[in-house]
């Protein structure tokens, strides 16, 4: 306080003038700064004096982007005084390159609050007044869904830590000077020039070993512009064993297969959005490819091919080539144009490199991470409500498909639009015959996928039909990546959306991917189905309950299926959707209020296999949803199926693959060998011959009429069975 609100001179008049000057400066600064939204004060009722006050800033954009690098001047101090020099040193260090980079890392997040200052009258300290204002600010930040940070002196860190803040960095200003004046030394002795950066997670608390600072990745990448860091990265990469193929989730793999087929012009448009570049970098690249991109992101000139190849051990050539090939297929890496005679070199494509740097370090007004907005308190939608809405809508889609098995699984409160039904039909997940809907072979395989993969499958069908819908497919894909980067529980403005994206909100709302109150509503909410689009987290297993469709071991509702060695199955569930899924591969015969029973048979498995469900999918589903008692009987702690059941299910599938029934006609008992040869040759030319046995002079055909007519024309007799 002494540096920014000094008392110059001696006596009561000097103190009064200092207070007045400081008040005028603060009022002017507050008027010029729209982010200083709140100043809270507590007044002593006995003396009518302010005993504690605090200021908070609410940032919607990065205030440090484009800031002037000119040094700030402490004009409230006399010229050439020690106080002026020390204050300007503090301002210079605070707005210097190191701190600016750190603050930009904080500001990479869409919204946050900054606790600017808090002061308490000396007569009222250590009584909890400051704690009241910190708690007020924390509650306000949680109400608005904001992260918070503060730059505090070391003596005050404990106050903020008690309210959920966590120290991330410390900052110490070096004040030693050979030519330091007497007033400089006096101020240094009286003041603490050590600061700590503290951060608080919105909606939650810090958990050691689990929670991480969200900006670390950007800070690390920003340091890679130095050659020493690149050399260290080279040494690290050369010591790591990388897998040959990226370990992608089914959802990431599905979206990758779609992306790699796109032409370069489409990628150029896609990568103009930082949200797209960040999503692809984080979720679709293997570790080695990420290291290549990381190392080249801040290199201004193309990297010689020989240098990049030297980063990887010689016995990992296949892994290196696989990573480079993947980057080239995604139009992230390209061979730079070089002077004839010079070695080939790699460079990151534009605008991918620029967009990724913006996404990691903040900055720009691209708005690709959405435009958060405040909503009236009575209109706010909680995360629980969003989860319930998404689950209800998505289960209605699956219920529409599985409902063709004869079990009614539809939620009475959900009516699927005609567009949803048309899209499912276009994707050949169901067949519509008049008013009747039947699930297809592709649809059965779709039902047993993880939810994220199901969502991407439907979205890719949506992309494939973009032209028929008169929508821009690049705009659609870009908006999907934007949705995946948004914050669950935060409302976002529709004002900056394109016409295509406005139409998408209507369509995606039918699938439960977004929530909005209609076309006239100025905002929308992404649901968990949207925010996990590029995540390996199962959208329904984390908070949706129950999730009957997940085949992952982390499903929250696993543990309701019991299967005996005599193939009898008991399922402790009342969910119509779960029961309908079981009926895909099991013959159910009894239903109780909280249980169904049935039997797995050769016919039920053969029927499921014929519809596209594999034996491994059936086994995996029952293993992941096995009742805990199954582990006691068979698994030594891990739920498993009886080995005889597992083997028999696989044998029933192999049996179907080994033997194939073909309807047709068998010809035999010909009058002579020549008749057999001529008629068999004729059947072969027609393309109806399926099998022949020359030793026994017989053959099998799928069509009888033409062969019989040929026999009649020759005036010969043969017998057809």
């Amino acid at each position: 306080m002494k540096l920014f609100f000094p008392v110059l001179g001696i006596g009561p008049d000097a103190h009064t003038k200092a207070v007045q000057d400081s008040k005028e400066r603060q009022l002017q600064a507050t008027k010029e700064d729209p982010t200083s939204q709140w100043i809270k004060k507590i007044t002593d009722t006995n003396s009518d004096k302010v005993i504690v006050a605090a200021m908070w800033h609410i940032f919607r954009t990065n205030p440090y982007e484009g800031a002037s690098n000119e040094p700030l001047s402490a004009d409230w101090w006399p010229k050439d005084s020690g106080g002026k020099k020390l204050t300007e040193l503090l301002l210079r260090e605070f707005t210097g390159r190191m701190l600016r980079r750190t603050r930009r890392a904080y500001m990479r997040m869409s919204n946050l609050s900054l606790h600017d200052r808090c002061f308490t009258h000396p007569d009222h300290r250590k009584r909890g007044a400051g704690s009241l204002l910190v708690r007020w600010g924390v509650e306000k930040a949680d109400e608005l869904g904001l992260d918070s940070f503060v730059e505090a002196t070391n003596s005050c860190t404990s106050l903020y830590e008690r309210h959920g803040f966590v120290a991330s960095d410390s900052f110490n200003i070096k004040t030693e000077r050979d030519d330091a004046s007497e007033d400089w030394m006096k101020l240094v002795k009286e003041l603490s020039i050590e600061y700590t950066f503290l951060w608080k997670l919105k909606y939650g608390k810090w958990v050691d070993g689990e929670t991480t600072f969200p900006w670390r990745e950007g800070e690390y990448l920003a340091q890679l512009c130095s050659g020493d860091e690149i050399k260290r990265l080279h040494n690290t990469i050369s010591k790591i064993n990388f897998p040959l193929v990226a370990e992608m989730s089914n959802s990431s793999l599905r979206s990758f297969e779609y992306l790699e087929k796109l032409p370069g012009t489409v990628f150029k448009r896609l990568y103009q959005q930082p949200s797209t570049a960040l999503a692809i970098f984080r979720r679709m690249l293997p570790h080695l490819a990420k290291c290549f991109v990381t190392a080249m992101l801040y290199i201004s000139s193309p990297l010689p091919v020989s240098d990049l190849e030297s980063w990887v051990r010689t016995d990992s050539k296949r892994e290196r080539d696989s990573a480079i090939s993947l980057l080239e297929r995604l139009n992230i890496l390209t061979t730079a144009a070089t002077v004839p005679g010079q070695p080939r070199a790699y460079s990151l494509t534009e605008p991918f490199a620029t967009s990724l740097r913006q996404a990691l370090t903040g900055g720009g007004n691209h708005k690709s991470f959405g435009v958060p907005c405040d909503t009236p308190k009575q209109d706010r939608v909680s995360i629980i409500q969003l989860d319930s809405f998404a689950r209800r809508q998505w289960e209605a889609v699956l219920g529409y498909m599985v409902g063709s098995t004869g079990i009614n699984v539809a939620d009475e409160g959900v009516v699927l639009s005609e567009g949803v039904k048309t899209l499912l039909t276009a994707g050949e997940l169901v067949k519509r015959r008049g008013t009747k809907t039947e699930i297809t072979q592709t649809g059965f395989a779709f039902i047993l996928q993880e939810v994220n993969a199901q969502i991407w499958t439907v979205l890719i069908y949506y992309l494939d039909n973009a032209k028929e819908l008169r929508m821009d497919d690049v705009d659609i894909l870009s908006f999907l990546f934007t949705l995946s980067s948004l914050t669950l529980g935060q409302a976002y403005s529709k004002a900056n959306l394109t016409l295509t994206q406005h139409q998408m909100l209507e369509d995606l709302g039918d699938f439960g991917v977004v929530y909005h109150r209609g076309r006239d509503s100025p905002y929308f909410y992404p649901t968990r189905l949207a925010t996990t689009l590029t995540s390996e987290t199962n959208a329904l297993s984390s908070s949706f309950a129950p999730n009957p469709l997940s085949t992952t071991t982390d499903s929250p509702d696993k543990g309701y299926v019991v299967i005996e060695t005599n193939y009898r199955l008991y399922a402790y569930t009342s969910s119509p959707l779960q029961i309908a899924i079981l009926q895909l591969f099991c013959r159910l015969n009894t239903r109780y209020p909280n249980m169904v029973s049935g039997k797995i048979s050769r016919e039920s498995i053969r029927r499921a296999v014929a519809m596209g469900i594999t034996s491994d999918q059936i086994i995996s589903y029952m293993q992941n949803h096995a009742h805990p008692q199954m582990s006691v009987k068979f698994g030594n702690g891990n739920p498993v199926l009886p080995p005889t059941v597992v083997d028999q299910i696989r044998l029933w599938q192999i049996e179907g693959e080994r033997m194939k029934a073909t309807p047709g006609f068998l010809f035999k008992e010909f009058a002579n060998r020549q008749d057999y040869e001529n008629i068999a040759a004729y059947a072969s030319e027609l393309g109806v011959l399926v099998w022949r046995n020359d030793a026994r002079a017989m053959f099998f055909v799928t069509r009888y009429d033409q062969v019989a007519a040929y026999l009649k024309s020759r005036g010969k007799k043969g017998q057809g069975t």
Side-chain angles (χ1 to χ4, degrees):
M1 288 295 181
K2 288 187 177 181
L3 291 177
F4 295 95
F5 308 105
V7 178
L8 304 176
I10 302 175
D13 293 340
H15 183 273
T16 301
K17 185 177 185 304
V19 170
Q20 185 62 31
D21 291 345
S22 299
K23 184 187 300 183
E24 292 176 358
R25 281 195 291 114
Q26 288 304 297
L27 288 174
Q28 183 64 28
T30 301
K31 291 178 181 179
E32 295 175 354
D33 185 1
T35 69
S36 57
Q37 300 290 333
W38 296 282
I39 299 178
K40 185 87 172 178
K41 64 180 181 179
I42 297 177
T43 306
D44 185 351
T45 56
N46 295 326
S47 60
D48 198 29
K49 292 182 178 180
V50 175
I51 62 173
V52 62
M55 176 182 287
W56 289 78
H57 293 269
I58 303 298
F59 294 122
R60 296 299 188 188
T61 58
N62 188 346
Y64 300 97
E65 182 65 25
S68 173
N69 292 324
E70 296 183 3
L72 300 177
S73 176
D75 295 330
W76 52 89
W77 282 95
K79 185 177 180 180
D80 297 330
S81 65
K84 179 179 176 63
K85 293 179 180 179
L86 182 59
T87 305
E88 291 179 349
L89 170 66
L90 178 65
L91 293 171
R92 186 165 61 251
E93 293 292 334
F94 250 69
T95 56
R97 181 175 180 181
M98 187 275 290
L99 182 57
R100 187 179 297 273
R101 181 190 303 165
T102 305
R103 274 183 164 171
R104 280 177 175 160
Y106 280 106
M107 301 310 295
R108 187 166 60 83
M109 296 174 284
S110 57
N111 300 321
L112 55 82
S113 65
L114 164 65
H115 186 29
D116 189 300
R117 67 199 66 174
C118 181
F119 51 87
T120 307
H121 193 282
D123 295 340
H124 297 273
R125 290 175 182 170
K126 303 297 182 181
R127 297 182 181 180
S131 183
L132 286 174
L133 293 194
V134 174
R135 184 167 68 248
W136 176 89
V138 166
E139 290 175 352
K140 178 63 68 173
D142 286 343
E143 178 185 335
L144 297 174
L146 306 180
D147 287 12
S148 305
F149 80 97
V150 62
E151 299 154 350
T153 57
N154 290 352
S155 60
C156 297
T157 56
S158 60
L159 168 64
Y160 298 105
E161 288 173 342
R162 288 197 299 270
H163 290 85
F165 285 84
V166 179
S168 63
D169 297 288
S170 59
F171 186 69
N172 187 15
I173 299 179
K174 297 181 180 180
T175 56
E176 296 82 2
R177 292 289 188 276
D178 294 335
D179 58 344
S181 62
E182 183 177 346
D183 54 345
W184 171 295
M185 296 300 297
K186 181 180 179 181
L187 286 169
V188 168
K189 186 176 181 180
E190 293 177 352
L191 301 176
S192 171
I193 317 292
E194 295 182 359
Y195 293 86
T196 299
F197 298 98
L198 300 104
W199 172 74
K200 181 186 178 297
L201 174 70
K202 61 185 175 185
Y203 302 134
K205 295 182 179 180
W206 181 277
V207 179
D208 290 334
E210 297 182 13
T211 316
T212 58
F213 295 112
W215 58 85
R216 288 301 187 193
E217 184 177 22
E219 286 182 340
Y220 171 69
L221 291 175
Q223 296 170 359
L224 291 177
C225 54
S226 69
D228 292 339
E229 288 292 341
I230 292 178
K231 290 179 181 179
R232 281 196 288 272
L233 182 63
H234 166 210
N235 295 333
T236 301
I237 294 175
S238 63
K239 297 176 182 178
I240 299 176
N241 285 316
F242 292 96
L244 178 61
V245 181
E247 296 181 1
M248 292 186 185
S249 63
N250 289 337
S251 57
S252 296
L253 184 61
R254 188 79 176 88
S255 53
F256 171 77
E257 290 173 349
Y258 180 84
L259 285 172
E260 67 173 347
K261 298 176 183 177
L262 299 177
T265 53
V266 173
F267 277 110
K268 190 170 184 178
R269 288 181 58 194
L270 275 177
Y271 290 154
Q272 289 176 358
Q273 298 297 325
S275 57
T276 301
L278 182 63
I280 291 177
F281 171 78
R282 296 183 66 182
R283 299 302 181 188
M284 296 185 185
L285 299 185
H287 299 303
L288 184 56
K290 286 182 180 178
C291 287
F292 288 159
V293 173
T294 298
M296 299 175 64
L297 192 57
Y298 287 90
I299 296 179
S300 58
S301 58
L303 182 70
V305 172
S306 57
D307 287 357
L308 186 144
E309 292 178 347
S310 68
W311 290 355
V312 182
R313 298 185 314 186
T314 55
D315 59 348
S316 298
K317 182 177 181 298
R318 289 183 62 199
E319 289 84 349
R320 181 198 66 204
D321 293 343
S322 176
I324 293 175
S325 174
L326 187 146
L327 291 172
E328 289 177 333
R329 280 182 286 162
L330 290 177
N331 209 47
I332 294 174
L333 191 68
T334 185
T335 303
T338 56
V339 179
Q342 295 294 323
R344 290 191 309 120
Y346 285 125
S347 64
L348 297 180
T349 59
E350 290 293 347
F352 177 85
T354 299
S355 293
L356 184 58
R357 283 193 291 267
Q358 284 186 342
L360 294 174
T361 59
N365 58 353
H366 45 80
K367 299 180 181 179
S368 73
F369 292 98
V371 179
C373 65
D374 295 327
T375 58
K377 189 173 183 180
Q378 66 273 14
D379 293 338
R380 290 174 190 165
V381 182
S382 68
I383 293 178
I384 294 176
Q385 291 173 316
L386 291 174
D387 286 348
S388 177
F389 166 77
R391 175 178 176 268
R392 189 170 62 252
Q393 292 293 129
W394 188 245
E395 286 196 352
V397 174
L398 301 179
Y400 172 73
M401 298 173 58
V402 181
S404 60
T405 60
I407 297 178
N408 182 18
V409 297
D411 189 322
E412 295 181 357
V414 179
V415 178
L416 292 182
S417 68
E418 192 62 29
V420 172
K421 298 177 182 178
T422 301
L423 187 62
L424 296 177
T425 305
E428 299 182 349
L429 299 178
V430 296
K431 291 186 296 185
R432 300 172 70 182
R433 297 178 179 177
T435 58
K436 185 179 180 181
T437 302
E438 295 180 353
I439 193 166
T440 64
Q441 177 179 342
T442 304
F444 275 114
F446 170 86
I447 285 293
L448 294 184
Q449 291 178 343
E450 62 173 344
V451 177
N452 296 52
Q454 290 174 344
I455 292 291
W456 266 112
T457 299
V458 171
L459 292 177
I460 288 173
Y461 290 148
Y462 189 77
L463 284 162
D464 290 339
N465 289 274
K467 291 184 179 179
E468 287 75 7
L469 297 172
R470 297 182 180 180
M471 299 171 71
D472 184 356
D473 54 349
V474 178
D475 204 2
I476 293 175
L477 195 55
S478 178
F479 189 53
L480 292 178
F481 284 117
T482 295
L483 289 175
S484 70
S485 67
L486 302 184
T487 301
L488 183 65
Q490 171 66 57
Y492 291 87
S493 173
K494 294 182 181 179
N496 65 310
L497 301 184
T498 64
L499 292 177
T500 292
Q501 292 168 353
H502 274 282
Q503 179 59 44
M504 286 182 67
L505 289 180
E506 299 294 325
D507 298 334
L508 296 179
D510 291 335
F511 289 102
V513 178
V514 297
Y515 172 84
H516 68 123
R517 298 183 183 276
R519 293 179 180 271
D520 297 333
S521 176
Y523 57 85
F524 70 94
Y525 287 87
T527 70
R528 202 178 297 272
L529 293 176
T531 59
T532 57
L533 277 174
T534 56
S535 169
E536 296 181 4
T537 302
N538 193 318
L540 298 186
S541 67
S542 57
S543 64
F544 287 67
N547 173 22
L549 308 179
S550 175
T551 56
T552 59
T553 55
D554 63 350
S555 178
D557 61 311
K558 65 178 181 178
Y560 71 96
V561 176
V562 174
I563 181 74
E564 297 179 338
T565 54
N566 60 2
Y567 307 106
R568 291 193 178 276
L569 181 144
Y570 304 90
Y572 292 90
T573 179
S574 58
S575 167
L577 192 53
Q578 290 177 326
I579 295 171
I581 291 174
L582 290 174
Q583 189 160 285
L584 301 181
F585 54 83
C586 176
R587 180 170 57 85
L588 301 178
N589 49 40
T590 308
R591 181 168 181 175
Y592 301 98
N594 63 342
M595 186 187 78
V596 294
S597 65
K599 189 173 183 179
I600 293 178
S601 64
R602 178 177 179 272
E603 290 73 20
S604 66
I605 296 298
R606 291 285 300 276
R607 184 180 69 247
V609 170
M611 294 174 179
I613 304 174
T614 67
S615 60
D616 287 338
Q617 285 178 315
I618 296 171
I619 293 167
S620 176
Y621 181 85
M622 290 194 296
Q623 283 179 333
N624 293 327
H625 296 82
H627 194 280
Q629 285 297 319
M630 298 289 290
S631 64
V632 176
K633 189 171 183 179
F634 296 102
N636 296 325
N638 298 314
V640 296
L641 307 179
T644 54
V645 174
V646 173
D647 293 341
Q648 189 60 62
I649 291 175
R650 289 198 171 104
L651 287 173
W652 280 331
Q653 178 178 357
I654 294 173
E655 178 185 276
E657 294 172 348
R658 184 179 64 228
M659 300 176 63
K660 183 178 180 180
T662 303
F665 306 88
L666 178 67
F667 284 78
K668 62 181 180 179
E669 298 180 7
F670 291 90
N672 54 58
R673 184 74 181 181
Q674 188 61 41
D675 285 344
Y676 165 75
E677 294 287 353
N678 290 338
I679 299 172
Y682 179 73
S684 179
E685 291 175 2
L686 291 176
V688 297
L689 182 67
V690 177
W691 170 85
R692 64 186 289 176
N693 188 324
D694 293 338
R696 300 177 62 182
M698 62 176 63
F699 62 82
F700 187 85
V701 295
T702 57
R703 298 284 299 274
Y704 172 80
D705 297 342
Q706 290 174 297
V707 177
Y710 179 73
L711 280 170
K712 185 177 181 179
S713 67
R714 287 176 58 88
K716 302 291 184 179
K717 291 186 178 181
Q719 292 184 351
T721 301

